[in-house]
Every structure is written in structure tokens, then in C-alpha cells.
């Protein structure tokens, strides 16, 4: 794992046994719009990444469809909860159930980030998040999916994966909770329940930013001192009842996205 791809954590924060974590190079947030139609012809192409499956469904809109051992003990620095820019701690994810949950939550965030649409950052993220024996295959599949001109056009992006002039691409995942359904010192299965934001904010956007809810189950294994993803499955919900709130203007949404940094997550 290269220095830029380190995941940082500390165990026993404040004597509570909590784990503080950080994703590689401050990779924040990502989002998946709720699919209004089925896009099964594309799902097989992008089934290797959590966010992209739903992004393609959003773009196409056509159809419908624990046991554990204790880990580290480093304490976080003062700025451990900063929204962006500050490295909280200096260690790897703890080799226990809590560490696996922290890893899964943070991996949801980084795999759902807008940086996945940048080739160089995507390669760094995939090599950091996935186990070495599956990373190469995932990388090839993702490169094909993210370079698809049809896909990028359908979600409103330019051919190089950037947003059109005057618009801001929003792709953020916000974990709400995690649950380890099985865990030992070598493998773990972790469910991550999260909400997501996805779309383009700005005048002229045909894909306004929308909110969705999903649960993804990650299969993790301990490799070279860290938890790595080997597989995942996703499903819709649980979805809360929406409140009758007026949607913000494109300008307000763009301002919020630019001014509010994303978070890394802890358990």
C-alpha cells in the first residue's frame, strides 16, 4: 500500500474502544441515486463498484426494477474530526470487528466519491481498497465502465468524466450505521447502511442532485496488515419516510457542496 493510499486509525480513543479512521488522500463522499428503472444490461459491467451500479441505473432510467481480537491503541490528533484536509491519526484499521466496520464504512465513502471518475485517482483507490488478488480484475472492469461515453453522457458528464462548465458533479456516500455479521482475525462480513447524493448541480442540469438509501454487504479479509474488500452485494434501503421540504436551488446546492467537506467514519 503506497503512502498516499494509507488508511489511518486509532483504537481505544478516549478509553472507549472506538476507532478513528481516514481514507486515502482525503477521498470523500459519493452518492448513488435511487434507480427509477432497471438497467440490467449494464449492471454486469459495473457490478464491481458500489456506487456505479446505481449511477448507471439512474442514468438509464428505463424499467424498475462476532468474535474479535483487540487492535491498536494510538490516540488521534486534535483535528481528528476535521471535515477535510487533516490526517486524524497514523495507523491501520484495527484487526477486530470494529476495525472491519470502520474499514467498510470508509470504503463505501471512497468508492462512492466523485474521484472515482478520475482515472489516476480511481486506480489509486481500487489498489488501496481491494485485496491484491481481485484488484486487477476490478480495475479493468471499472476502467471500461468509467470510460464508456454512453454512460458519461447519460449522467451528464463530459467524455473525460468532468462536469460541464458552470455545473458541479456531486457524488457522496454518507454512512448511517454498520453491522458486523461475522468477524475473526482473518475475515469479516460487514453491512453498511448509508444515504447518498448524486447528480449535477448548476443551471441547465438535467440530472439534479437526488438522495437515495442503500445497504451494502462487504466481504473483507486481512491482507498485509489491513482489511481489504474481496466482494460485495447491495440492496435498496431501508428508506425512511421523506419530509415535505422544499428542494434547494441549484446555486444553494452548489455552494453547500463546495463549502462543506465530507467526513471519514469511525466505529
Amino acid at each position: 500500500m503506497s503512502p498516499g493510499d494509507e488508511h489511518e486509525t486509532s483504537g481505544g480513543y478516549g478509553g472507549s474502544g472506538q476507532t478513528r479512521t481516514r481514507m486515502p488522500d482525503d477521498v470523500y463522499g459519493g452518492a448513488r441515486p435511487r434507480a427509477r428503472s432497471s438497467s440490467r444490461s449494464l449492471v454486469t459491467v459495473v457490478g464491481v463498484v458500489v456506487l456505479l451500479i446505481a449511477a448507471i441505473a439512474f442514468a438509464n432510467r428505463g424499467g424498475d426494477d462476532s468474535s474479535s481480537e483487540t487492535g491498536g491503541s494510538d490516540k488521534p490528533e486534535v483535528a481528528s474530526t476535521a471535515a477535510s484536509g487533516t490526517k486524524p491519526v497514523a495507523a491501520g484499521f484495527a484487526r477486530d470487528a470494529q476495525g472491519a466496520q470502520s474499514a467498510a464504512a470508509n470504503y463505501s465513502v471512497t468508492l462512492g466519491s466523485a474521484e472515482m471518475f478520475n482515472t489516476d485517482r480511481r486506480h489509486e483507490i481500487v489498489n488501496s481498497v481491494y485485496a491484491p488478488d481481485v484488484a486487477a480484475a476490478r480495475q479493468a472492469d471499472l476502467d471500461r465502465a468509467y470510460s464508456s461515453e454512453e454512460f458519461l453522457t447519460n449522467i451528464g458528464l463530459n467524455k473525460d468524466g468532468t462536469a460541464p462548465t458552470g455545473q458541479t458533479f456531486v457524488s457522496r456516500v454518507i454512512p448511517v450505521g454498520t453491522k458486523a455479521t461475522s468477524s475473526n482475525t482473518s475475515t469479516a462480513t460487514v453491512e453498511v447502511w448509508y444515504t447518498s447524493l448524486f447528480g449535477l448541480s448548476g443551471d441547465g442540469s438535467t440530472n439534479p442532485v437526488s438522495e437515495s438509501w442503500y445497504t451494502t454487504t462487504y466481504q473483507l479479509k486481512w491482507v498485509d496488515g489491513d482489511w481489504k474488500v474481496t466482494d460485495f452485494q447491495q440492496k435498496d434501503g431501508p428508506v425512511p419516510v421523506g419530509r415535505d421540504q422544499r428542494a434547494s436551488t441549484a446555486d444553494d446546492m452548489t455552494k453547500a457542496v463546495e463549502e462543506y467537506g465530507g467526513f471519514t467514519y469511525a466505529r
Side-chain angles (χ1 to χ4, degrees), residues 93-111:
F93 289 116
R95 192 173 186 177
D96 58 17
Q98 290 189 11
Q101 290 177 76
S102 290
N106 281 287
Y107 293 165
S108 294
V109 171
T110 197
L111 288 171

Side-chain angles (χ1 to χ4, degrees), residues 14-37:
S16 65
Q18 295 177 342
T19 302
R20 296 285 180 179
T21 62
R22 174 185 175 273
M23 282 309 301
D25 287 344
D26 296 320
V27 179
Y28 295 115
R32 297 191 296 169
R34 182 169 182 78
R36 299 180 186 178
S37 61

Side-chain angles (χ1 to χ4, degrees), residues 6-21 70-78 80 87-96 266:
E6 291 176 356
H7 314 300
E8 299 178 356
T9 186
S10 72
Y13 174 56
S16 65
Q18 295 177 342
T19 302
R20 296 285 180 179
T21 62
T70 57
S73 59
D74 295 336
K75 292 186 181 297
E77 297 172 2
V78 175
S80 62
K87 295 182 178 182
V89 290
F93 289 116
R95 192 173 186 177
D96 58 17

Side-chain angles (χ1 to χ4, degrees), residues 80-180:
S80 62
T81 57
S84 62
T86 302
K87 295 182 178 182
V89 290
F93 289 116
R95 192 173 186 177
D96 58 17
Q98 290 189 11
Q101 290 177 76
S102 290
N106 281 287
Y107 293 165
S108 294
V109 171
T110 197
L111 288 171
S113 71
E115 292 197 2
M116 287 290 288
F117 287 78
N118 176 281
T119 301
D120 291 340
R121 288 298 295 128
R122 181 171 65 252
H123 289 178
E124 293 175 4
I125 290 169
V126 172
N127 287 330
S128 177
V129 167
Y130 282 96
D133 57 343
V134 300
R138 296 295 185 262
Q139 195 75 269
D141 289 339
L142 290 173
D143 284 345
R144 284 192 294 271
Y146 280 104
S147 63
S148 167
E149 184 175 339
E150 179 183 3
F151 165 63
L152 294 172
T153 299
N154 285 343
I155 61 175
L157 297 180
N158 297 323
K159 294 180 181 179
D160 61 355
T162 60
T165 302
Q167 297 184 22
T168 300
F169 179 45
V170 181
S171 184
R172 293 192 183 187
V173 160
I174 307 96
V176 176
T178 62
K179 177 176 67 174

